[in-house]
Amino acid sequence: MSLSRRRPFDIWMIVSAGALIFFVLFLLYPLFGILKQSALDNESGELTLANFALFFSRKYYYNSLLNSLKVTSCVTLLATVLGTTLAFVMKTVKIRGRSFLDLVITLSMISPPFIGAYSWILLLGRNGALTRFLNDILGLHYQGIYGFGGILLVASLFMMPVIYLYVSGALSSMDTSLFEAAEGFGCTGFRRFTLVVIPLITPTIIAAALLAFMRSLADFGTPMLIGEGYRTMPVLIFNQYMAETGSDKNFAAAMSLILMLTTLAVFLAQKYVTDHNSYSMNAYQPIEPVKAGMLRSILAHLYCYTLIGLATIPQALIIYTAFKKTSPSGSMFVDGFSLDSFNRVFSRLGDSIRNTLVFSSAAVLIIIILGLLVSYVVVRRPSRLNTALDAFSMIPFIIPGSVLGIAISVSFRKPFVLAGTAGALILVYVIRRLPYMIRSISALLRSISMSTEEAGISLGASPLRVFTRITVPILGPGILSGSIMTWMQTTSELSASIMLYVAGTRTITVAIYTEVIRGMYGNAAALSVIFMGISVICLLVIFKITGRRELKL
């Protein structure tokens, strides 16, 4: 019996309707709320386009959008070039310690980007260790890493591992016969890379570049810490919405809508290009790294170790700083090493660690349940309703975290208050990460034959029993590893959290950020090390479940 021909009003219709209500209530309604607030006059409360006119009439404001697009485009381009070439070298040349390098580069990706910004401040800030060396020893007049160049460096090194992991997965699907055929026509080396490899993995590169673009455009912490005079949209929105004096929430809502429409335009452009440039590859003989000649091997090792070393400098510096001895107040480092920073963190900021663990775990549990149900009805029960559900589930992908945080805050005030509660943070985590879980489970479901479930129904089991006793166990390992990865991503969320938190709901990323702003670098480093420790444990669990020693996106 075909699953798609069962009576229309079964339990899966209820699931579809319930999921659609969830998206309407907690996604579309908040977006409508931010749309409404963006068109309100501050004094009269009447509908107006004055907020948008103000944005585009003053260079101070619209330049922030241009700045965001400029730095984000440069970050995306640089990270894509570096990540793609790194993946190709690592896949084709035998590199000593490759397993360790894969682990290190993955760790550099899962830490929040603003932690990298804070680390580079310690190294290349106005009073950084390397800055003092350049100015005092070499006699230079270096003013620090701040501004466009600093954002470009930090964000590119953070996004490069994302590109690397995506492209590595695509290269694993390439067959060595392609290389052999290219060599038969005299196409080798860099020419083979540009004429054979790049065209085949272009869809993957575009998808990875889009993710890097979206993350960079929505990044709040990095430009806030080292941007200084270089204004970007997320920082401007935060200042307008959260300022203690002179805040303009209506204008902040208008800027949020402009930023969201910008990401939507980029997403649609990427989708158009990908839909017209898609390939399917099967690797019967996957590419294996080979031992290169001496010169090529030296250059390959130098490139890989240098690039991965630069990407992991923040983590190494944070670990070193966390164990440095500090003054009693914690605001200054002194000679020697101690556990003072960790003691202060657990005594004063322990609630942020607990909140992060509780909120992220609750969010992931909801994401697993919703992701399973939505994926199943979309893949196994095709209909107009479920097609709409699939489309709604992708909307959060194009919404920056700060925009979603403001949307939740302005929409749930009366009579149902969410802003300032743990529920608001859990909700925003669910909405932000649910699309990734749905896409992951949908891909797994499409790889499972329908005959497996139809056999259970033919034996008299109900569709729900088949789902819980057959489908879910088959999907189990993939769901578990995906949920751990999702949990790691929710714990690193900053842009949405900082819009919604209050003293009692502070998370570890918010605590790290506020400690950096206060100049309590020892506390920030200790919290960052704790965060990295949790991430390492999660990563090792993923490797254990999947049986791999590298992460694939």
Side-chain angles (χ1 to χ4, degrees):
M1 183 185 297
S2 173
L3 293 182
S4 60
R5 294 182 179 179
R6 291 187 66 84
R7 56 193 177 90
F9 294 101
D10 59 10
I11 189 171
W12 297 116
M13 288 287 291
I14 299 175
V15 168
S16 299
L20 192 62
I21 291 173
F22 172 85
F23 282 116
V24 169
L25 180 61
F26 295 114
L27 179 59
L28 297 187
Y29 173 68
L31 293 181
F32 175 77
I34 204 171
L35 173 63
K36 179 181 178 182
Q37 180 148 7
S38 69
L40 291 179
D41 182 79
N42 284 324
E43 297 181 358
S44 64
E46 297 179 353
L47 295 178
T48 177
L49 295 177
N51 294 317
F52 298 95
L54 175 63
F55 179 86
F56 289 106
S57 64
R58 294 190 181 180
K59 189 176 181 180
Y60 176 86
Y61 295 126
Y62 67 73
N63 257 2
S64 65
L65 178 59
L66 298 178
N67 287 344
S68 289
L69 292 175
K70 176 184 175 182
V71 72
T72 301
S73 299
C74 291
V75 165
T76 303
L77 178 61
L78 183 57
T80 300
V81 171
L82 295 177
T84 301
T85 53
L86 178 65
F88 181 75
V89 172
M90 293 277 282
K91 282 292 183 181
T92 57
V93 180
K94 281 191 175 181
I95 303 294
R96 292 182 181 274
R98 183 191 165 194
S99 297
F100 174 75
L101 293 179
D102 277 327
L103 176 62
V104 168
I105 201 171
T106 303
L107 288 176
S108 68
M109 179 195 73
I110 59 180
S111 299
F114 74 92
I115 291 181
Y118 148 64
S119 302
W120 284 102
I121 289 175
L122 294 179
L123 191 64
L124 285 171
R126 291 191 177 88
N127 196 37
L130 189 53
T131 301
R132 291 196 302 270
F133 172 80
L134 294 174
N135 294 339
D136 298 343
I137 306 300
L138 301 182
L140 302 180
H141 298 283
Y142 182 65
Q143 298 300 313
I145 196 175
Y146 307 98
F148 172 82
I151 300 174
L152 178 61
L153 171 67
V154 173
S156 297
L157 290 177
F158 177 76
M159 295 301 169
M160 181 268 295
V162 177
I163 305 293
Y164 166 80
L165 290 174
Y166 269 93
V167 175
S168 292
L171 290 174
S172 297
S173 300
M174 292 187 65
D175 198 286
T176 54
S177 61
L178 295 172
F179 280 20
E180 294 169 357
E183 289 176 0
F185 287 98
C187 184
T188 59
F190 184 75
R191 191 161 174 260
R192 180 179 62 186
F193 175 68
T194 55
L195 296 181
V196 177
V197 176
I198 293 297
L200 286 174
I201 62 173
T202 292
T204 299
I205 293 176
I206 293 175
L210 174 69
L211 181 59
F213 186 94
M214 293 293 192
R215 287 189 179 183
S216 299
L217 187 64
D219 186 15
F220 158 78
T222 301
M224 187 69 173
L225 290 178
I226 62 176
E228 290 199 343
Y230 196 84
R231 298 179 305 276
T232 61
M233 280 289 280
V235 174
L236 197 61
I237 291 171
F238 174 82
N239 291 335
Q240 286 290 329
Y241 190 79
M242 302 294 289
E244 295 182 3
T245 58
S247 64
D248 189 341
K249 289 180 169 52
N250 294 344
F251 187 49
M255 288 193 293
S256 299
L257 189 61
I258 292 170
L259 183 61
M260 187 174 66
L261 292 175
T262 302
T263 60
L264 175 61
V266 173
F267 174 76
L268 293 177
Q270 180 268 348
K271 190 175 187 303
Y272 175 82
V273 173
T274 303
D275 289 345
H276 289 76
N277 295 274
S278 59
Y279 309 95
S280 178
M281 296 185 293
N282 291 310
Y284 297 103
Q285 292 181 325
I287 297 173
E288 293 290 341
V290 298
K291 189 174 182 179
M294 180 177 293
L295 178 60
R296 186 185 173 197
S297 179
I298 292 174
L299 293 176
H301 278 80
L302 183 63
Y303 181 74
C304 293
Y305 276 93
T306 300
L307 196 55
I308 295 175
L310 287 173
T312 54
I313 280 178
Q315 284 69 30
L317 190 59
I318 284 172
I319 294 173
Y320 169 79
T321 306
F323 292 95
K324 283 279 290 180
K325 191 174 180 62
T326 61
S327 61
S329 64
S331 60
M332 294 180 60
F333 292 110
V334 296
D335 293 335
F337 296 90
S338 73
L339 297 175
D340 292 346
S341 297
F342 289 94
N343 292 332
R344 279 193 303 271
V345 161
F346 285 113
S347 62
R348 302 177 189 175
L349 303 172
D351 63 320
S352 66
I353 302 173
R354 182 182 64 253
N355 289 341
T356 298
L357 299 177
V358 173
F359 299 165
S360 296
S361 299
V364 169
L365 180 61
I366 298 172
I367 289 171
I368 292 173
I369 296 172
L370 283 177
L372 264 172
L373 296 176
V374 173
S375 301
Y376 189 82
V377 296
V378 167
V379 175
R380 292 292 197 244
R381 304 277 172 155
S383 66
R384 291 183 178 180
L385 175 62
N386 292 333
T387 299
L389 187 62
D390 187 38
F392 285 150
S393 70
M394 282 303 295
I395 293 177
F397 183 75
I398 63 171
I399 304 177
S402 56
V403 174
L404 187 58
I406 292 176
I408 296 294
S409 178
V410 301
S411 301
F412 295 103
R413 290 178 175 174
K414 293 180 181 180
F416 185 49
V417 180
L418 266 181
T421 67
L425 289 169
I426 294 173
L427 176 62
V428 80
Y429 295 163
V430 170
I431 295 174
R432 289 269 285 161
R433 301 303 170 188
L434 184 58
Y436 301 94
M437 181 64 76
I438 290 175
R439 285 295 173 268
S440 176
I441 297 177
S442 295
L444 292 172
L445 275 171
R446 290 188 176 95
S447 67
I448 300 175
S449 174
M450 287 278 291
S451 60
T452 304
E453 299 170 39
E454 290 173 346
I457 291 179
S458 66
L459 294 174
S462 66
L464 182 60
R465 185 176 177 83
V466 169
F467 174 73
T468 56
R469 302 297 291 272
I470 298 177
T471 308
V472 173
I474 295 175
L475 297 173
I479 294 174
L480 184 57
S481 61
S483 64
I484 296 173
M485 191 66 189
T486 301
W487 190 88
M488 292 165 63
Q489 292 171 336
T490 59
T491 58
S492 64
E493 177 66 49
L494 173 66
S495 55
S497 300
I498 205 163
M499 294 292 183
L500 294 169
Y501 90 100
V502 293
T505 59
R506 176 177 52 187
T507 61
I508 194 168
T509 51
V510 173
I512 294 171
Y513 171 78
T514 53
E515 290 300 292
V516 171
I517 293 296
R518 294 173 55 208
M520 307 292 285
Y521 294 132
N523 294 352
L527 278 170
S528 300
V529 168
I530 294 171
F531 177 85
M532 286 191 292
I534 295 172
S535 300
V536 169
I537 294 173
C538 292
L539 200 58
L540 293 176
V541 172
I542 292 176
F543 290 163
K544 181 67 175 179
I545 294 171
T546 60
R548 296 194 299 258
R549 292 190 176 182
E550 61 180 358
L551 190 64
K552 292 184 180 181
L553 297 180

